[in-house]
Amino acid sequence: MSKNTVLKVRLAKSEDLSVLLDIYSLARSFMIKNGNPTQWGKFYPRENIIVDSIKKKETFVIVDKNGCIRGTYALILGEDPTYKTIKKGKWLNDKPYLTLHRCASDFTNNGIFKTMLNHALTYKLDIRIDTHKDNKVMRFLLKKYGFIQTGLIYVKEKGLSSTRLAFQKVFDK
């Protein structure tokens, strides 16, 4: 892993799709090997979700100094319907927020999540995110960067409901 690579953020383009699919495949394999087999399973996110997110200008990529894509994530402005109901806790406030979803990297660079977070903070809004209880890496990163666990949310997938840990980071002006 490279520690001193300069990383930049840009909007994803449709021609990035094959690289994004590869990165998500690596991330799924990593999660499965590290005790988190059900959060994304073997197929999430599906290609149509990524294509739609690119069209909506919600998907970003992190590129290294050579322009190689090293990470990706979705940044969604406005209310997330999944976050409307929270159990065993409550959101820290009712301020406008953005949501980070589908964070993934190719594992070649340090600082991918920090780069995602720094980009998200430029919007000057609170940030909400969720993760599976078995996603130890993401839970570590969220705590490291000052996110507060606020409760549980439920994600609907194929008619089933799946529990996720909800986190929020309050934007400090």
Side-chain angles (χ1 to χ4, degrees):
M1 267 192 216
S2 172
K3 293 186 185 242
N4 298 318
T5 302
V6 175
L7 300 170
K8 294 185 180 177
V9 174
R10 69 165 170 79
L11 271 171
K13 301 180 267 190
S14 57
E15 54 266 29
D16 298 330
L17 183 61
S18 66
V19 176
L20 300 184
L21 291 171
D22 289 344
I23 288 173
Y24 283 121
S25 179
L26 286 169
R28 286 190 300 269
S29 293
F30 177 86
M31 286 196 277
I32 290 167
K33 287 177 188 167
N34 287 279
N36 185 17
T38 60
Q39 183 172 348
W40 284 0
K42 294 182 179 179
F43 303 105
Y44 186 85
R46 294 199 181 270
E47 185 173 331
N48 64 314
I49 291 171
I50 301 165
V51 168
D52 186 53
S53 184
I54 291 170
K55 285 179 185 173
K56 290 179 180 176
K57 299 187 182 314
E58 294 174 340
T59 293
F60 292 84
V61 294
I62 296 170
V63 296
D64 65 16
K65 65 182 178 182
N66 298 316
C68 296
I69 297 172
R70 300 301 181 192
T72 184
Y73 58 103
L75 189 68
I76 301 166
L77 295 168
E79 286 192 27
D80 186 321
T82 305
Y83 292 173
K84 198 165 188 85
T85 302
I86 187 167
K87 303 285 185 181
K88 296 187 180 181
K90 63 180 185 173
W91 295 111
L92 300 176
N93 59 49
D94 292 327
K95 292 181 185 178
Y97 64 92
L98 56 86
T99 307
L100 277 174
H101 280 304
R102 299 187 296 279
C103 303
S105 83
D106 68 358
F107 304 99
T108 59
N109 294 84
N110 290 333
I112 297 290
F113 186 77
K114 184 176 181 181
T115 302
M116 291 176 195
L117 180 58
N118 286 341
H119 173 244
L121 289 170
T122 66
Y123 288 81
K124 300 181 179 182
L125 293 170
D126 286 9
I127 302 169
R128 294 182 184 181
I129 190 170
D130 65 86
T131 195
H132 195 277
K133 67 179 175 55
D134 294 332
N135 193 336
K136 293 178 178 119
V137 172
M138 182 56 79
R139 289 174 59 195
F140 169 81
L141 289 169
L142 293 172
K143 289 179 183 171
K144 176 179 179 179
Y145 290 105
F147 283 79
I148 309 265
Q149 187 174 336
T150 57
L152 302 174
I153 57 109
Y154 299 90
V155 178
K156 298 230 186 252
E157 299 168 343
K158 299 177 195 159
L160 302 172
S161 184
S162 176
T163 305
R164 298 287 192 269
L165 304 175
F167 293 83
Q168 184 173 354
K169 182 173 181 65
V170 174
F171 178 74
D172 293 326
K173 296 177 180 162

